[in-house]
Amino acid sequence: MNIVDLAAPATLFEASDPLDEQLNGQAVQQGTVQEVVLTAMEFADCRLKTAKIVTADQHELRAGEIEMIYMERIAD
């Protein structure tokens, strides 16, 4: 995995919401990578599996990468 700048601008997208199909693919939050990773980790249900973060340089982070960033760089 590439090193991701936690201060870089990013957008969190909810790729699939089993409870509300209107939200599928919608942007949930914009902010820094750190902020949107924290929000994504609050998706305690199955939504984290389909969430994605797109950074300003168009790098996409999926569930496994989001969890890894959280565990290795934010949760400490």
Side-chain angles (χ1 to χ4, degrees), residues 7-44:
T11 303
L12 170 63
F13 291 91
E14 187 167 23
S16 176
D17 185 338
L19 303 176
D20 188 347
E21 289 190 21
Q22 297 285 333
L23 293 177
N24 290 348
Q26 296 296 310
V28 176
Q29 178 184 351
Q30 291 185 322
T32 66
V33 170
Q34 181 166 340
E35 292 167 342
V36 297
V37 164
L38 288 172
T39 299
M41 291 304 295
E42 292 175 3
F43 291 165

Side-chain angles (χ1 to χ4, degrees), residues 48-69:
L48 177 61
K49 293 178 185 172
T50 61
K52 74 175 177 180
I53 293 173
V54 179
T55 63
D57 63 357
Q58 300 303 307
H59 184 75
E60 289 189 11
L61 304 170
R62 300 292 180 156
E65 294 170 305
I66 293 168
E67 289 177 309
M68 188 180 313
I69 290 169

